[in-house]
Amino acid sequence: MSRRELLRGAALVPVAGALAACATPAAPPAATSSAAPAATSAANPFGVGTKPLEIWIFDGGFGQDYAKNIHEPLFKSKYSGVEIKHNATKEITKVLQPRFAGGNPPEVIDNSGANFMDFGALSQDGQLQDLTPLLDAPSWDDPNVKVRDTIDQSVIDIGTYDGKFSVLGYVNYIHGIWYSQKVFRDNDWQIPKTWDEFLALCETIKKSGKMAPFTYAGKFPQYLYEPLLTMAAKIGGNEVLVNIDNLEDGAWTTEAMKTAAAAWAEVGAKYLMEGTTGLDHVQTQTAQNKYKVAMLPSGSWLENEQKTTTPADFEYGMFPIPDVTGSDKLPYGALHTQPGENFIVSARSGHPQAGMEYLRAMLSKKAAGDFSELVRTLTVVKGATEGRDISPGVTSASKAVAAAGANAVYYRWNNWYGPLKDEAVAATGELMSGGLTADKYLERLQKKADEIKNDSSIKKFKR
């Protein structure tokens, strides 16, 4: 299954509806977090008691060893009397949704993967612990520095639902087009700075007969709607994505979106690796490791996810979406980056105080730095990789973020509105396989967005 926050496959159930029905039973149990916490102090800011701490990790591309070998031991170094119940699964919703329905959810959940629980529905049902006290608590490393000052502001912005900070994105996902630096050097292929150069590169690679130019996770088309949306934002500015998030009329059918959809439809028609539509992300990524395809869209988790199949001299690299029109509102280098690998604390769990303290430990420089070295990706903790040995792919992505500066974009509709995400996944697959024109593709998504906007039973969020 896919391992990241915005690249989600279709859930096993319609998550938003199922959660609303399942997490709010006819006679909801009383919240268990009303029990008085232990005494608070500078060293124990939330009043961690002696009840067990149950943790569930999404066992995807990052695995679960980081929790077992880094985060949990660090927590236990201060709270040796708290039993940690460690669990991992690839099926977050399937396994944990019944726990929410029964009123006995675990304390900490890495709510990630293809089958993550709908954050909007969780928020609407009052299942998310307010993590604002975590932001205002002293950092694990320095009691004179608040946690909020050790993390990127975007973590707070994106993790806020209904006015409350309640979702902690731990990993700084950096999205772009990934390739082998070795392959590009050996073939004298240059990083394209414009879309015309990108298409010319695809044509050169295709004619070389050495490999296919491009692929994406055909079974999980959200891998492709990410660069499509990023391209639209480059063309039309960040407001393109803000308006989509806010369900504004006609947000999906703007000229910027039409240009982006048409551009990627052309790639789908001319330059895809044969069989792409029937492959998942691991299969397409492994094909790249075997030098069967040159480029694919992904995020900064890719290097770790492919560590068992990547040749030693492959040398991952990443480049941003090229300039498209010659008059793009955002300059070359603009890219999509946002916090992902989303952790939540259950408001109705038995020991939410321990859950928040666990997150505080995760946000220490040591925990974040060790995590980055182990799983070859960046966290949201400032300066956590200073003096660390980081890999080629992470180095490339880090340089791209630095070059982008303030020209970074993100979107939230896919976490806010599960049905719209599902529609976008299905429609993007049809766009890339030639089943939909760019116009019909965007009309379909606009129709679904309008349905959600006009459905009073669905809680609305706004940027």
Side-chain angles (χ1 to χ4, degrees):
M1 303 296 282
S2 171
R3 87 146 291 67
R4 69 289 304 162
E5 167 275 321
L6 70 103
L7 302 177
R8 311 297 186 193
L12 297 179
V13 295
V15 179
L19 185 61
C22 203
T24 311
T32 58
S33 60
S34 58
T40 62
S41 65
N44 185 2
F46 308 119
V48 174
T50 57
K51 292 181 180 179
L53 168 61
E54 186 177 356
I55 296 166
W56 281 82
I57 300 297
F58 170 65
D59 192 9
F62 293 148
Q64 55 178 299
D65 286 349
Y66 71 85
K68 293 192 294 184
N69 299 333
I70 298 173
H71 296 156
E72 291 169 16
L74 186 61
F75 178 90
K76 289 284 285 186
S77 70
K78 278 194 176 184
Y79 302 96
S80 58
V82 176
E83 177 191 2
I84 291 181
K85 298 180 178 180
H86 173 93
N87 305 273
T89 181
K90 296 182 185 297
E91 305 287 354
I92 292 292
T93 293
K94 182 179 179 180
V95 173
L96 293 181
Q97 189 167 281
R99 297 280 303 275
F100 280 88
N104 66 328
E107 279 70 30
V108 177
I109 302 168
D110 171 15
N111 189 28
S112 300
N115 191 29
F116 72 97
M117 292 180 289
D118 188 302
F119 290 99
L122 286 168
S123 174
Q124 187 171 356
D125 289 347
Q127 299 282 0
L128 300 179
Q129 177 74 20
D130 183 0
L131 300 178
T132 305
L134 171 64
L135 297 177
D136 294 325
S139 69
W140 189 276
D141 301 307
D142 185 346
N144 296 313
V145 177
K146 291 184 177 181
V147 168
R148 69 168 65 245
D149 297 322
T150 68
I151 59 178
D152 298 334
Q153 178 61 37
S154 60
V155 179
I156 302 170
D157 296 340
I158 293 175
T160 297
Y161 285 75
D162 204 21
K164 295 179 181 178
F165 176 63
S166 48
V167 177
L168 173 68
Y170 188 62
V171 173
N172 190 11
Y173 288 154
I174 305 165
H175 300 270
I177 307 300
W178 291 76
Y179 66 101
S180 164
Q181 295 185 55
K182 175 185 183 299
V183 166
F184 269 51
R185 279 196 307 269
D186 290 350
N187 291 280
D188 198 27
W189 294 337
Q190 304 302 310
I191 301 301
K193 298 293 182 66
T194 69
W195 191 247
D196 286 344
E197 290 176 358
F198 177 80
L199 294 178
L201 175 61
C202 286
E203 193 66 29
T204 296
I205 296 171
K206 183 177 181 179
K207 288 179 177 177
S208 76
K210 295 179 179 179
M211 61 187 70
F214 194 83
T215 191
Y216 72 99
K219 287 185 176 180
F220 299 124
Q222 58 269 38
Y223 277 78
L224 201 285
Y225 74 51
E226 184 282 318
L228 192 158
L229 287 165
T230 303
M231 176 183 284
K234 245 192 76 59
I235 297 167
N238 186 55
E239 60 266 31
V240 171
L241 301 184
V242 173
N243 289 339
I244 288 175
D245 282 349
N246 291 342
L247 302 175
E248 297 289 348
D249 294 342
W252 283 96
T253 56
T254 60
E255 286 303 313
M257 286 296 296
K258 290 179 181 179
T259 300
W264 285 107
E266 181 181 5
V267 174
K270 295 181 179 179
Y271 300 118
L272 286 187
M273 181 179 69
E274 185 176 354
T276 285
T277 56
L279 302 177
D280 63 22
H281 61 293
V282 173
Q283 290 170 312
T284 52
Q285 292 162 188
T286 301
Q288 186 182 46
N289 294 154
K290 293 180 178 180
Y291 303 115
K292 294 180 179 180
V293 63
M295 298 175 287
L296 56 78
S298 193
S300 48
W301 58 83
L302 174 63
E303 197 171 25
N304 185 71
E305 193 166 59
Q306 293 301 115
K307 63 186 177 183
T308 60
T309 63
T310 306
D313 60 350
F314 187 84
E315 197 177 344
Y316 270 114
M318 189 206 85
F319 62 84
I321 299 298
D323 289 340
V324 184
T325 67
S327 58
D328 295 352
K329 287 193 176 179
L330 295 181
Y332 177 78
L335 80 168
H336 172 201
T337 177
Q338 70 184 79
E341 202 68 17
N342 294 305
F343 283 77
I344 59 175
V345 174
S346 306
R348 299 176 185 176
S349 62
H351 201 181
Q353 300 88 357
M356 287 196 286
E357 183 70 348
Y358 183 80
L359 298 189
R360 191 170 78 103
M362 284 174 52
L363 292 171
S364 68
K365 276 193 175 183
K366 174 173 173 50
D370 288 351
F371 177 93
S372 291
E373 282 197 7
L374 178 67
V375 302
R376 309 182 192 191
T377 196
L378 299 174
T379 71
V380 297
V381 178
K382 298 175 182 177
T385 58
E386 291 174 358
R388 300 273 186 162
D389 182 19
I390 57 176
S391 58
V394 173
T395 299
S396 177
S398 300
K399 289 180 179 178
V401 170
N407 297 303
V409 299
Y410 64 85
Y411 48 86
R412 302 186 66 184
W413 58 270
N414 58 323
N415 279 338
W416 285 345
Y417 308 113
L420 182 56
K421 178 205 72 176
D422 294 340
E423 188 76 356
V425 168
T428 303
E430 291 193 40
L431 173 75
M432 293 302 289
S433 63
L436 286 175
T437 64
D439 285 345
K440 292 297 183 182
Y441 166 72
L442 297 176
E443 288 171 8
R444 177 172 166 179
L445 295 180
Q446 187 62 58
K447 180 180 178 181
K448 177 57 68 173
D450 291 342
E451 289 176 4
I452 291 170
K453 182 176 182 177
N454 295 322
D455 188 338
S456 60
S457 69
I458 298 176
K459 185 176 181 60
K460 309 305 189 297
F461 300 92
K462 197 173 183 69
R463 280 175 67 180

